[in-house]
Amino acid sequence: MSNPAEAPDVVADCPHCGKPLPLCICDSVTPIESRVQLLILVHPQEQDKALGTARLTARHFEHAVVRIGLSWPSLAKALGRPVADPSRWAVLYLGSAKAEELDTDAEIVAINRNGELEPDQRSILGRIEGIVLLDGTWSQAKALWWRNPWMLKCQRVILGPKQPSRYGQLRREPRRDGLSTLEAAAMLLAGLQKRPEIAAALIDSFDRMLARFREVQANMPELAPKPKKRDYRRRRRS
């Protein structure tokens, strides 16, 4: 029988980002004013405390909302407040669509239900008031998309990033346009508002988070384990 005195100390989690305190960088985050609102829907099985970025992303914006679950009856229910016009909200869902296969070199692309390029991109993107991000693996994001039909009332968008995710070898993505929730938020909120300082602030936080992870991995590997094999399954339908 083991001696209780020899049991390892329990490491507390940050109440804001949910990470073990040695991995937390919340003290270096300064909230940013944003005209575009942010809602992050987290699949219940995607709560990676070590490398996940959903709560850290929300930490940057005073009115950002994070919800953990599989389905909600409406955008308003998920957001927790009334929404006058859901069509002025965008949902980032890649599915089988790829910006590189469309006739555009834009990094933020509005597409229709068939995965085709919407006409008048500038007008559509210019009226967006809020963004919904789906936090999870490819199959988990697909589950969130299909279990919440109200998303079809929103504008679907995809991303065409010029650079791959900064996760690098820490958390590989199945596609080059697969980004962390934080990186996606940085692209969208900065791009839609023509405010590069938003992207700079979020990416700076992401770099600090990754640097902290590597430091902790060397000294406390139980808190920063080596990455597990990711879900690389592709969707056949959007």
Side-chain angles (χ1 to χ4, degrees):
M1 187 171 181
S2 61
N3 185 345
E6 297 177 354
D9 294 334
V10 175
V11 178
D13 293 340
C14 170
H16 304 295
C17 70
K19 295 182 181 298
L21 288 176
L23 292 170
C24 174
I25 63 161
C26 284
D27 60 351
S28 65
V29 174
T30 301
I32 304 167
E33 287 291 334
S34 175
R35 171 185 61 80
V36 178
Q37 302 173 69
L38 180 62
L39 169 63
I40 304 175
L41 303 181
V42 183
H43 192 283
Q45 295 177 355
E46 175 62 17
Q47 297 185 54
D48 185 342
K49 289 185 177 181
L51 284 172
T53 63
R55 291 188 180 278
L56 178 60
T57 302
R59 183 76 172 150
H60 287 80
F61 305 97
E62 291 185 359
H63 302 296
V65 175
V66 177
R67 294 280 187 261
I68 299 173
L70 289 174
S71 62
W72 296 263
S74 66
L75 172 59
K77 290 292 185 181
L79 192 60
R81 55 178 181 263
V83 176
D85 186 357
S87 70
R88 297 179 74 92
W89 278 70
V91 178
L92 174 61
Y93 177 64
L94 298 181
S96 60
K98 294 183 179 181
E100 64 186 22
E101 296 177 353
L102 301 175
D103 185 22
T104 178
D105 60 356
E107 291 192 321
I108 304 173
V109 183
I111 59 175
N112 61 24
R113 294 188 183 187
N114 296 321
E116 301 166 337
L117 195 67
E118 291 271 22
D120 199 0
Q121 293 279 311
R122 179 177 296 182
S123 175
I124 290 174
L125 296 177
R127 64 194 295 271
I128 296 299
E129 296 178 349
I131 292 291
V132 180
L133 298 180
L134 310 181
D135 188 76
T137 64
W138 291 89
S139 60
Q140 289 167 356
K142 180 178 180 179
L144 289 169
W145 173 261
W146 286 102
R147 292 183 63 134
N148 292 277
W150 53 263
M151 292 184 186
L152 295 177
K153 297 180 181 179
C154 304
Q155 174 63 57
R156 182 179 167 192
V157 298
I158 59 175
L159 298 178
K162 306 305 182 187
Q163 301 294 329
S165 172
R166 300 171 84 88
Y167 269 135
Q169 297 297 315
L170 289 177
R171 188 170 178 175
R172 298 181 182 180
E173 298 295 340
R175 279 173 34 177
R176 190 176 183 278
D177 52 355
L179 301 177
S180 68
T181 295
L182 187 147
E183 291 169 301
M187 281 189 65
L188 284 163
L189 295 176
L192 292 175
Q193 299 175 88
K194 303 295 189 293
R195 293 179 57 190
E197 72 275 12
I198 292 180
L202 266 68
I203 295 303
D204 184 58
S205 288
F206 193 42
D207 286 342
R208 288 198 305 274
M209 186 201 87
L210 295 179
R212 180 70 58 83
F213 178 88
R214 291 185 175 95
E215 292 172 3
V216 173
Q217 193 176 53
N219 301 302
M220 304 175 70
E222 69 278 7
L223 296 183
K226 292 183 179 180
K228 298 179 181 179
K229 184 177 180 181
R230 301 294 293 166
D231 177 5
Y232 285 9
R233 286 175 291 177
R234 306 286 184 90
R235 302 180 187 85
R236 296 181 180 178
R237 297 182 298 172
S238 61

